[in-house]
Amino acid sequence: MTRRRLSAPRIAPALALALAVPMTLGLSACGINSVPTAEENVKARWADVQAQYQRRADLVPNLVATVRGAAASEERILTNVTEARANATRISVSPEQLSDPAAMKSFSEAQARLSAAILPLQRLQEAYPQLQSQGNFTTLMAQLEGTENRITVAVRDYNEAVRDYNTRIRTFPEMIGAKLVHGAKPLQPFQATTPNADQAPKVDFESK
């Protein structure tokens, strides 16, 4: 009697497929794909934050020039804004520095100083009504306010992406892939705080 042999080539593809599917699912569950995807999302959201701060920085010189034309005597305020803008544009945070608390703090503080310097500009129209009659000033202030709102949204989205990423690399099973393959480190949320933001800025129009 001749015995029939099972054909190895016929079994091999089926066996390979049966092993590949759970392995693929297992790797995905361990964060092989999801962790870098979450990291790239954080980087994209951070680019949005920087873009909005850059947009604000681009508006400031035009606003300063407009105010100088109508209220040249307020040179102290204009100088403070110009210096704060220069400092803010010098400090940047690359995607590789998002896990560095010191770098994030420096960026945040520089932007906060510019925010504080801009506040007196918004009060100048009270002492110089002629500013209100200048369409350029009104337009620039509206754009600046709109940019501040965009910054708030961009920072919120960035912090949400950081929260998602940091949760993934610290929870099972994605923490396995995060540590073994990606060497992932927690990323820093961004605190866009302005010193004494809860207090109305004091602008002394008498002393120069």
Side-chain angles (χ1 to χ4, degrees), residues 124-192:
L124 285 179
Q125 56 188 309
E126 298 177 11
Y128 298 92
Q130 66 268 30
L131 282 173
Q132 284 287 47
S133 64
Q134 294 191 18
N136 195 32
F137 177 81
T138 303
T139 299
L140 287 170
M141 288 304 301
Q143 291 178 349
L144 185 62
E145 291 171 2
T147 300
E148 294 291 349
N149 291 333
R150 293 186 183 188
I151 289 172
T152 299
V153 172
V155 168
R156 181 198 65 196
D157 291 346
Y158 167 76
N159 284 343
E160 178 60 24
V162 168
R163 185 200 62 77
D164 177 67
Y165 174 80
N166 287 347
T167 300
R168 288 178 183 275
I169 67 173
R170 294 175 59 193
T171 53
F172 185 83
E174 290 175 302
M175 61 185 298
I176 298 175
K179 291 185 179 297
L180 296 181
V181 180
H182 304 296
K185 296 180 180 179
L187 301 180
Q188 296 295 312
F190 181 68
Q191 301 294 329

Side-chain angles (χ1 to χ4, degrees), residues 119 123 196-203:
L119 288 177
R123 299 287 300 277
N196 302 320
D198 58 332
Q199 302 176 15
K202 295 181 180 180
V203 182

Side-chain angles (χ1 to χ4, degrees), residues 22-53:
M23 286 180 63
T24 300
L25 293 176
L27 290 174
S28 297
C30 288
I32 299 298
N33 295 323
S34 62
V35 170
T37 298
E39 183 179 18
E40 290 304 315
N41 184 46
V42 171
K43 292 177 181 179
R45 300 290 75 78
W46 178 245
D48 292 341
V49 171
Q50 290 187 308
Q52 295 309 322
Y53 274 120

Side-chain angles (χ1 to χ4, degrees), residues 91-93 97-110 188-190:
I91 299 177
S92 62
V93 176
Q97 294 177 298
L98 292 177
S99 60
D100 184 352
M104 294 294 287
K105 181 180 179 181
S106 295
F107 183 88
S108 176
E109 289 177 346
Q188 296 295 312
F190 181 68

